[in-house]
Amino acid sequence: MKILSIVGARPNFMKIAPFAHAIRKCPSVKHVIVHTGQHYDQKMSTSFFEDLDIPMPDINLEVGSGSHAQQTAEIMKRFEPVLLEHKPDVLVVVGDVNSTIACSLVAAKLSIPIAHIEAGLRSFDKDMPEEINRILTDRITDVFFTTCIEANAHLVAEGAAKNRIFFVGNVMIDTLMHNLKRANKSQILSSLHLQPKGYALVTLHRPSNVDDKHNLTNILNAINVIQEKIPVVFPIHPRTKKNFELFGLTSMVQGMKGLKLVEPLGYLDFLCLTNGAKMVVTDSGGIQEETTVLKIPCLTVRENTERPITIKEGTNVLVGVKTKKIVSEAQKVLSGKAKKGRIPKYWDGKASERILNILVSLHNKGKLRVK
Ligand code: UD1
């Protein structure tokens, strides 16, 4: 059996790593990894292959940055000849980035079965580029792998056949569980002069937050208050860094004495920082899940989430983008009133093995593709 997997942007690497490791143990399956090159900086891409021991991509399409249309189109143009050459039994895509939909669309037109890992998540917010990518990818997916039962319900409501949907758990959590011990050996806390549970961790990169001067300023005003109470460490995404400069916010950020701005971090250093944090303030999707598993309080600076299970069962709280609300929820955590949570079903480190078993079994029965 031949499986071709796609990675493109930072969160994809953590999701493909455990799947690649599961395939390694299965000699009858050949694995081809294609990197679209959506993310390309060492700190946004290569460092994850090294940290997570992912086989280097067999092919890199090197598309780089661009508008959504440019990036999506360029990936499609460059991916089609690769897919025609390799003719895999199944294309595996993860998550919701532009690489996910672009490669799925190429495969669908070439009648190659598509398996989508992390299918069925919905924020019901079409202003989010990822929501468009999720809906469209799932419309042409043949085999759906979900992280929660709510995702199964979304897929069924949109017309997917129940027998094509498999609730397998969360591959990102496979990676977390396999690497937590190694991550805890990272020296990142001492190198940043931080004490365990003595700092807050911030990440921001959603266009709705960081491409909008008003929202970005509101969030920074909240960070300003928080950093007076507890040190704040903020690994900065390239999109966010650019916008600090564009909106003239750099000097405001530099004026915050309790704020440590650092470059994007590798997987192990970042996981170590998350695990040691008093709280995390973020607009990332994956970090909402990681904090739930680590039982670290998470304040999500968004109005909605495609991962409501992290609110229902985990430590996540949606705090929106208004300064006052972010500060008051942070204050609750600092005064010992953080939300408690539990780990969702099947977020147990074994999702990738389940996925591979299902794919091999469907392949053996000739049932990978929906006609
Ligand atoms: C993308 C994903 C988003 C994911 C995020 C994780 C889409 C629509 N968005 O958003 O879902 O949560 O990745 O980081 O696919 N840049 C660099 N170096 C890089 C990559 C990007 O400097 O290695 C800069 C470029 O200026 C680029 C900007 O960051 O224009 C944004 O990159 P892009 O891939 O378009 O989107 P992200 O915001 O990273």
Side-chain angles (χ1 to χ4, degrees), residues 119-124 126 131-140 144 150-161 165:
L121 296 184
R122 297 290 180 267
S123 65
F124 301 100
K126 279 198 187 160
E131 183 71 356
I132 312 284
N133 294 342
R134 291 180 202 116
I135 294 169
L136 295 182
T137 301
D138 285 337
R139 196 65 194 85
I140 53 177
F144 305 89
E150 290 80 358
N152 290 45
H154 296 150
L155 292 166
V156 170
E158 290 172 14
I165 309 170

Side-chain angles (χ1 to χ4, degrees), residues 155-172:
L155 292 166
V156 170
E158 290 172 14
K162 275 188 184 158
N163 64 355
R164 311 297 300 177
I165 309 170
F166 301 90
F167 171 31
V168 288
N170 192 324
V171 286
M172 198 155 205

